[in-house]
Amino acid sequence: MAARIGRAVARGPLNLLLIVVAAMWLVPTFGLFLTSLLPASEISATGWWKVVAQPSIATFDNYSALFDNRDIMSALWVTVQIAVGNTILLVIVASLAGYAFAWLRFPARDWLFVVVIGLLVVPLQVALIPIFSLYNDTGLFDTVLGLVLFHVAFGLPFGIFLMRNFFAGIPRDILESARIDGASELKIFVRLILPLGLPAIASLAIFQFLWTWNDLIVALTFGRDTQPLTVAIFSQTRQFGSNIDLIAPASFLSLAIPLCVFLAFQRYFVQGMLAGSVK
């Protein structure tokens, strides 16, 4: 008991510091939520802290107006299509490629993997103009498919790197036993590799979903009528600088959805981040 008390006292300052840092990170989110509950007449006159002192002024009318706004709801649906579609496609392709690099033998396998590693340092900004021209010629400009393919292309190097490292840590004896039993490579991948690789798959899916959901520059470049939620909020800010009663709930909604996704899969997140680091 004395030892436990001593450890608790020793860790007290560190725990207190972590609580303070966490509270500081949460204050902007908390403030955004309270701002979204303020009536339009109160937003320009006071700050979000008035809701804490006077909770009776809080209202959900801003959210009712948000869900009645066709532009915002259409942008939300486009964002869901892009984020979910490219995440699923990326996970499938990266898992197949990661398995091939980890366990299949083919010519120039190691050199190709070095190329994949090198692509990790290529910024997506250098491809905006060339891909813009390509999309104009192929009819992919201003389409959900075009945005999905762009995000998949720039997410693949990291995805392949992560999946290959995780799959390489699976004991060889498991795969050899499956081959001795007559299982094909496809059956090994579906029945054995994917279930064992769930932590890395979930981690990759979280990364890709969050990155795509919060993207602005790619959507601004390749979207005109096909606008995700970030572009729709940006457009409202540009056109109606004082329209905070719409921008605040839209921003909080844009924040809340990926946060829920992260919390739902957080137990896999740390496991995926350690993929390939420990044999």
Side-chain angles (χ1 to χ4, degrees):
M1 180 64 69
R4 291 180 180 178
I5 295 175
R7 286 194 296 268
V9 172
R11 295 174 181 174
L14 177 60
N15 291 336
L16 180 61
L17 176 63
L18 293 176
I19 292 173
V20 171
V21 172
M24 292 176 64
W25 275 98
L26 289 175
V27 165
T29 303
F30 184 67
L32 177 63
F33 174 66
L34 294 184
T35 301
S36 69
L37 298 179
L38 280 172
S41 58
E42 295 286 344
I43 291 178
S44 58
T46 184
W48 58 264
W49 48 85
K50 188 175 181 179
V51 179
V52 179
Q54 194 177 347
S56 60
I57 67 173
T59 177
F60 285 95
D61 291 344
N62 294 340
Y63 285 93
S64 298
L66 174 68
F67 292 123
D68 290 336
N69 189 299
R70 290 187 177 182
D71 292 337
I72 296 295
M73 290 298 99
S74 175
L76 177 61
W77 173 237
V78 169
T79 305
V80 171
Q81 293 180 71
I82 295 172
V84 175
N86 95 93
T87 300
I88 294 175
L89 184 58
L90 175 75
V91 166
I92 294 174
V93 176
S95 298
L96 289 169
Y99 175 69
F101 279 116
W103 293 111
L104 301 183
R105 296 189 177 277
F106 52 89
R109 183 187 67 173
D110 293 337
W111 284 107
L112 287 175
F113 188 67
V114 170
V115 173
V116 171
I117 299 300
L119 291 175
L120 285 171
V121 302
V122 178
L124 64 86
Q125 289 82 357
V126 303
L128 292 178
I129 295 178
I131 298 298
F132 181 87
S133 301
L134 177 64
Y135 277 8
N136 269 333
D137 296 337
T138 57
L140 289 173
F141 178 75
D142 198 26
T143 63
V144 172
L145 179 60
L147 291 169
V148 166
L149 293 178
F150 187 93
H151 287 299
V152 169
F154 276 87
L156 271 178
F158 175 75
I160 294 174
F161 171 75
L162 180 66
M163 301 307 297
R164 184 264 180 192
N165 284 354
F166 191 91
F167 291 158
I170 297 175
R172 182 183 295 272
D173 294 343
I174 298 178
L175 278 73
E176 291 180 350
S177 298
R179 292 191 179 101
I180 291 174
D181 291 338
S184 63
E185 294 297 335
L186 180 60
K187 194 170 185 178
I188 291 173
F189 177 77
V190 174
R191 297 287 185 87
L192 190 63
I193 297 299
L194 288 184
L196 292 175
L198 184 59
I201 292 173
S203 181
L204 175 61
I206 290 173
F207 264 120
Q208 186 68 11
F209 183 88
L210 295 181
W211 176 49
T212 307
W213 186 277
N214 295 317
D215 169 70
L216 177 61
I217 184 172
V218 176
L220 280 174
T221 305
F222 301 120
R224 184 173 54 202
D225 298 323
T226 306
Q227 292 188 347
L229 189 57
T230 51
V231 178
I233 296 174
F234 173 76
S235 300
Q236 291 289 333
T237 305
R238 183 178 56 188
Q239 295 176 8
F240 311 104
S242 60
N243 198 17
I244 305 299
D245 56 312
L246 181 62
I247 295 173
S251 300
F252 186 79
L253 179 65
S254 178
L255 178 152
I257 293 177
L259 180 62
C260 292
V261 171
F262 176 79
L263 292 177
F265 296 97
Q266 64 174 335
R267 71 191 186 96
Y268 297 111
F269 186 74
V270 175
Q271 299 177 39
M273 287 297 91
L274 296 176
S277 62
V278 180
K279 295 290 185 182

